[in-house]
Amino acid sequence: MTGRFGRAIPGVILGIAVLTAVLAASLQVPAVKGEMRCFVQRSFYPSYEPGPVADGTPIVQAQSETPPVRDKCDAADDPAIWVNTENPEKSLVLGTNKQRGLNVYTLDGQLLASHAVGKINNVDVRALPLANGGSRVFVGASNKGDSRLEMWELTPSNGALSNVLTTPINAKVERETYGFCLYLSPETQTLYAFATDKSGAVEQWALKDVADGRLKPVFKRQLRVQSQPEGCVADDENRRLFVGEEDVGIWVFDAEPDASTAGSLIARTGYGTLGGGVLTADVEGLALYAPPGEGPDAGFLIASSQGNATNAVFDRAPPYAFRGAFQIAFKANKTADTDGLDVTAVNLSGPYSRGLLVVQDGVNSAEDRSRANQNFKFTAWADIEDALGLVQTRRSE
Ligand code: CA
Ligand code: CA
Ligand code: CA
Ligand code: CA
Ligand code: CA
């Protein structure tokens, strides 16, 4: 090629190359990545429209809420409550930000610490008693980013986390590591991690306490549901594992690693449809309300019914009777598109004398009703008991 046009071509190519390089580099900048992710979410996923709820479903007012998480769009996902048995009012709440890491909040909802540890989706906690008194607090989580399972020791005074694994847990991964929960066996005092995979696989890993205080992961077995699961919770005392299969319902398995891998479906989705259950897909977080000293049958299983933004309450023990559902609001802001939740029955003092429920709010707004990033809302269990008449139910039995 000749002439002015021909001479311009190298310049055009150079210009395109520079632009491409700038674009590629800017896509590596977290803020730009975040905007892109939000753009994709808003463009290709339908906006949330809550499904129908049963007439008379109570709306329970939350006591407080956390600040919005740092990232826009779908970011906050799942909480875990650590009960400080010596100073209940100094208990802590862990909350995931699946774009960035893990936050630690005080009971009044204030941010105590923020850890940029990756795409942490679900989180759980267990305190293991020490022979000489006291305990160690272990926090476990699923990292969606590289399908790893994390185990840290929590320093309650400042919310610090330190890795306690002898070797990283690379999940077996068939599609993407997703949900997570811990199980402390009453038989062997062994701590186990369960991780759900978007393929339907549920992996069980033993976390063996080794001499130097670290935990050594050992793969034990795989359970399975037929479609995408996420949330799970273990009932340690009863050796049960509950798994939410998002579109289908809640399964229960024996949590011991040498037990049968057969599960039973205890609650179904399809609320409002012919022959449907009490949940509206997706089934998200699961949590166990286990009142101390009341025996292994007392208490409830709580499930986040994302499709209609309700929290469904079932008996903790078979036949897992449905006790009712409720919604949560903080002032005028109702929770919606709800992901994970956690609950404790321990008296945490003040409004939480009957325990605390923490839920994620997927559609959050500020006081002036402008859109805010997602957050977590803290509700007194006493108010939930009142709204559903659960105390009366228990006393009459
Ligand atoms: Ca979500
Ligand atoms: Ca959790
Ligand atoms: Ca989900
Ligand atoms: Ca809301
Ligand atoms: Ca979730």
Side-chain angles (χ1 to χ4, degrees):
M1 241 174 274
T2 54
R4 235 184 305 168
F5 184 59
R7 282 196 298 279
I9 285 180
V12 170
I13 291 172
L14 182 69
I16 291 172
V18 168
L19 268 176
T20 308
V22 167
L23 192 67
S26 66
L27 283 176
Q28 300 310 310
V29 175
V32 178
K33 256 188 178 168
E35 287 301 331
M36 282 297 290
R37 182 176 53 78
C38 281
F39 174 76
V40 169
Q41 276 179 19
R42 287 192 186 122
S43 311
F44 296 102
Y45 294 95
S47 62
Y48 178 80
E49 285 294 336
V53 300
D55 287 345
T57 299
I59 300 171
V60 181
Q61 274 293 322
Q63 296 288 328
S64 64
E65 64 178 347
T66 67
V69 295
R70 241 178 96 182
D71 295 273
K72 287 184 186 174
C73 296
D74 207 18
D77 198 275
D78 183 52
I81 302 168
W82 170 66
V83 174
N84 183 332
T85 48
E86 267 144 45
N87 276 309
E89 69 281 2
K90 295 216 166 122
S91 296
L92 298 174
V93 175
L94 298 130
T96 66
N97 173 350
K98 59 194 173 190
Q99 305 306 330
R100 187 178 298 270
L102 190 56
N103 292 333
V104 187
Y105 304 100
T106 53
L107 265 198
D108 55 1
Q110 299 303 304
L111 185 67
L112 175 68
S114 193
H115 304 282
V117 284
K119 299 195 164 188
I120 304 300
N121 189 45
N122 283 187
V123 60
D124 203 359
V125 63
R126 285 291 185 282
L128 264 62
L130 292 171
N132 60 354
S135 64
R136 295 178 72 193
V137 185
F138 292 107
V139 173
S142 50
N143 187 327
K144 265 153 56 95
D146 45 13
S147 285
R148 248 193 3 243
L149 309 184
E150 314 280 4
M151 286 300 304
W152 300 283
E153 183 165 357
L154 173 74
T155 306
S157 56
N158 59 5
L161 296 175
S162 53
N163 172 45
V164 287
L165 290 171
T166 54
T167 169
I169 309 179
N170 296 308
K172 302 272 170 200
V173 196
E174 292 180 18
R175 253 186 72 202
E176 182 185 320
T177 295
Y178 199 37
F180 182 93
C181 58
L182 291 170
Y183 166 56
L184 181 59
S185 167
E187 264 173 44
T188 60
Q189 299 305 314
T190 304
L191 186 63
Y192 295 93
F194 284 100
T196 64
D197 183 290
K198 285 189 174 179
S199 68
V202 181
E203 299 178 16
Q204 182 169 13
W205 292 77
L207 302 160
K208 306 246 177 191
D209 209 342
V210 292
D212 64 357
R214 289 186 299 163
L215 299 176
K216 183 182 169 211
V218 180
F219 179 75
K220 296 310 273 190
R221 62 170 180 165
Q222 195 178 70
L223 307 168
R224 186 167 285 282
V225 294
Q226 293 308 307
S227 64
Q228 181 169 309
E230 185 178 349
C232 62
V233 67
D235 178 346
D236 294 351
E237 219 175 336
N238 289 308
R239 300 161 207 184
R240 293 186 190 119
L241 171 73
F242 298 93
V243 175
E245 185 178 1
E246 291 189 337
D247 286 344
V248 174
I250 303 168
W251 293 87
V252 64
F253 294 90
D254 190 321
E256 284 296 315
D258 53 358
S260 161
T261 57
S264 348
L265 191 65
I266 62 162
R268 282 181 305 116
T269 57
Y271 175 74
T273 62
L274 195 64
V278 295
L279 299 162
T280 303
D282 297 356
V283 179
E284 286 284 328
L286 297 174
L288 197 79
Y289 184 86
E294 291 188 28
D297 288 348
F300 305 101
L301 173 71
I302 328 296
S304 162
S305 173
Q306 185 175 56
N308 64 355
T310 60
N311 304 282
V313 180
F314 304 88
D315 279 344
R316 174 187 178 186
Y320 309 105
F322 175 63
R323 292 296 182 188
F326 59 94
Q327 296 186 302
I328 288 173
F330 183 65
K331 297 176 181 162
N333 176 3
K334 249 167 79 170
T335 61
D337 203 6
T338 45
D339 272 296
L341 48 73
D342 199 12
V343 70
T344 179
V346 175
N347 176 355
L348 300 186
S349 79
Y352 306 124
S353 61
R354 298 283 305 159
L356 161 72
L357 176 79
V358 178
V359 300
Q360 181 260 13
D361 185 6
V363 188
N364 188 28
S365 48
E367 292 252 353
D368 64 2
R369 304 222 173 181
S370 64
R371 189 72 175 260
N373 289 354
Q374 297 178 338
N375 72 350
F376 297 95
K377 293 183 164 60
F378 295 12
T379 307
W381 185 260
D383 293 337
I384 296 162
E385 275 182 332
D386 282 353
L388 292 184
L390 293 175
V391 177
Q392 206 183 350
T393 308
R394 206 172 52 230
R395 281 189 190 137
S396 65
E397 280 171 356

